Amino acid sequence: MSSSDPGSTGFSAFDPATGEALDADFPIATWAVLDELAGNAAAAFEVGAEADTVAAFLEAYADRIDANAASLAAVAARETGLPEEGRLKNGEIPRTSGQLRQAAAAVRDGAWARPTISDGNIRSILEPLGPTVVIGPNNFPFAFNGVCGGDFAAAIGAGCPVIAKGHPHHPATCRDLAALMKEAAKAVGLLDGWVSFFYDCTPEDGLKLVRDPRIAAVAFTGSQRAGLSIKAACDETGTVGHFELGSVNPLFILPGALEERAEEIVDELTTSALLGGGQFCTQPGIVVLPAGEATTKFASQLQEKFDAAPTPPLLSEAVVTGLEEGTKTLRKAGANVLPSAPSPDEPGYRYPNTVLAVPGERFLEDPNAFQTECFGPASLLVTRTDAEQRLAIARTLHGQLTATIYSDTHGADDAEYGPLAAILRRRCGRLLNDKMPTGVAVVPAMNHGGPYPASGHPHFTAVGIPASMTRFTRLACYDNVRNDRLPAALRD
């Protein structure tokens, strides 16, 4: 659960643009600190919080984030290398405050909890699980941050106290957010312990917190390796865990679409695959195309676009190491790296924009290896020989967050679309047509989840309120309970 040195009492973040350590030092929480946070959260949950207070907190927090957008974006840009303007200040921060307000609106409305009254005075409603640990990733310092992101908004909206873990690669961003969080909680009178924060901890203490009987749920977004260790700890004690783990987001380009608008698709794929340095969980990492001259030309144009695009600093040295290991795995399995121009010699954490290619028959010989996630600016082209091989490739795919099909707009690919879509629909949370998968709209119908290993459970979504709130609830039934003893939403 930590990338810092477990033998030290503190750590520093690094500037991805230079690779140099930033000035401030941040503490690694001891077990005594985590124990106190768990106790405070459990005590707060026993007392409870009124829905209006919870909604007011979410709104007050959103207002403070918006009011401090410029300073928050500046700090996060220095710690992550992500663009301050466009990406952070004008994109991710408004999305984050919007998520908090959506959760507040759902809390005030109350219908999300599905109050149900049946004959025989039997009634049910979704009720909060209890204290929840929220662990965010590095690639979205606001929208998925454990201190303010989607999981935070959903858990708080569901009525669960949250213990938020900061990220060791952007601790100052988390520090500033946590200060605003505490300020908002105090302003609306939210009980101490309802929201709390720590920067980092040792892996051992983190897993001990997950196993603690006072913790009811955990929400994690990040690497598959870290997520699976936390999931195992949850399974030991029955703690409810929700995990977004990994996805290569396959994209299938059918023959008619390739013939109709290849250059347009090249442009769209370049933008999507390299967005944010390729560090999106919905980055299209595998692209399946028909073999032939059109695909040869497509690959050449794609590589030219990749070469012409900048190589921005990546989030951390670990991302670069992971990319090196991932592309090495793909090459060892039989993929070829397309010839490209040399990358500029720049400081910081960088990796060349990379296009790899492999024939469909070779992919089918070792599909697990070729589904290695290369988190960053790298995509694998898979060329297949016929429609049956395309379907065979689709059948080998692991669970995915997304799967995309590009087809001819005049119907030339309709016969091939149906069988392919039927296979992909069972292997992804979100199926797209003629649209790249990197955009994840925060709307009620969104599903940002999918079959394992994309996420820990295919029924739930990490984005889209109110559906994401239900992850942190249990179904509570009341049988012949007197009216004045029922929750307000279930009374006559």
Side-chain angles (χ1 to χ4, degrees), residues 191-479:
L191 193 66
D192 284 346
W194 204 266
V195 290
S196 57
F197 162 76
F198 66 97
Y199 288 101
D200 203 3
C201 63
T202 66
E204 295 77 16
D205 283 344
L207 296 177
K208 185 176 180 180
L209 179 64
V210 168
R211 297 186 187 100
D212 193 287
R214 293 167 294 185
I215 300 303
V218 175
F220 170 89
T221 302
S223 72
Q224 186 169 341
R225 182 174 62 180
L228 289 179
S229 69
I230 300 171
K231 185 178 185 299
C234 287
D235 291 342
E236 288 178 25
T237 55
T239 305
V240 174
H242 294 291
F243 304 90
E244 184 195 319
L245 300 173
S247 180
V248 294
N249 306 295
L251 189 153
F252 288 76
I253 302 174
L254 298 185
L258 189 63
E259 181 178 349
E260 179 186 40
R261 58 191 196 282
E263 290 188 14
E264 180 182 328
I265 299 173
V266 165
D267 289 340
E268 292 179 23
L269 178 56
T270 301
T271 299
S272 179
L274 301 183
L275 187 64
Q279 299 166 115
F280 273 54
C281 48
T282 50
Q283 192 256 18
I286 290 181
V287 183
V288 182
L289 309 98
E293 292 184 9
T295 288
T296 300
K297 182 179 179 181
F298 181 98
S300 177
Q301 291 175 334
L302 184 68
Q303 184 60 63
E304 289 177 6
K305 294 283 186 180
F306 269 47
D307 284 345
T311 54
L314 301 180
L315 293 165
S316 69
E317 188 175 14
V319 172
V320 177
T321 300
L323 266 171
E324 291 171 345
E325 293 175 351
T327 54
K328 181 179 179 180
T329 297
L330 295 179
R331 295 197 308 271
K332 184 177 180 180
N336 296 313
V337 178
L338 297 190
S340 62
S343 297
D345 185 16
E346 298 178 275
Y349 307 134
R350 299 176 196 271
Y351 193 86
N353 302 328
T354 303
V355 180
L356 302 98
V358 66
E361 56 269 21
R362 181 71 191 102
F363 181 96
L364 289 171
E365 291 173 6
D366 196 358
N368 291 331
F370 287 112
Q371 290 179 73
T372 298
E373 183 179 15
C374 294
F375 183 73
S379 292
L380 173 68
L381 304 184
V382 183
T383 57
R384 53 88 195 161
T385 56
D386 55 34
E388 282 305 312
Q389 190 178 83
R390 182 195 305 119
L391 298 181
I393 291 169
R395 291 187 186 101
T396 69
L397 293 173
H398 304 156
Q400 307 290 337
L401 293 172
T402 73
T404 303
I405 303 174
Y406 270 73
S407 60
D408 178 77
T409 57
H410 300 96
D413 294 319
D414 285 0
E416 296 190 43
Y417 175 86
L420 177 61
I423 295 170
L424 294 178
R425 176 65 282 176
R426 296 191 294 272
R427 287 167 171 78
C428 68
R430 178 165 54 117
L431 178 67
L432 298 96
N433 278 189
D434 306 304
K435 175 185 178 183
M436 291 294 162
T438 32
V440 181
V442 186
V443 296
M446 177 53 63
N447 181 15
H448 189 63
Y452 180 83
S455 68
H457 195 295
H459 181 72
F460 298 103
T461 176
V463 176
I465 292 170
S468 62
M469 293 166 59
T470 64
R471 293 175 298 159
F472 304 104
T473 63
R474 62 185 182 86
L475 183 61
C477 182
Y478 295 84
D479 191 341

Side-chain angles (χ1 to χ4, degrees), residues 36-48 130-131 161 163 193-194 213-215:
E36 182 179 359
L37 296 181
N40 292 343
F45 185 62
E46 284 189 9
V47 176
I163 301 171
W194 204 266
R214 293 167 294 185
I215 300 303

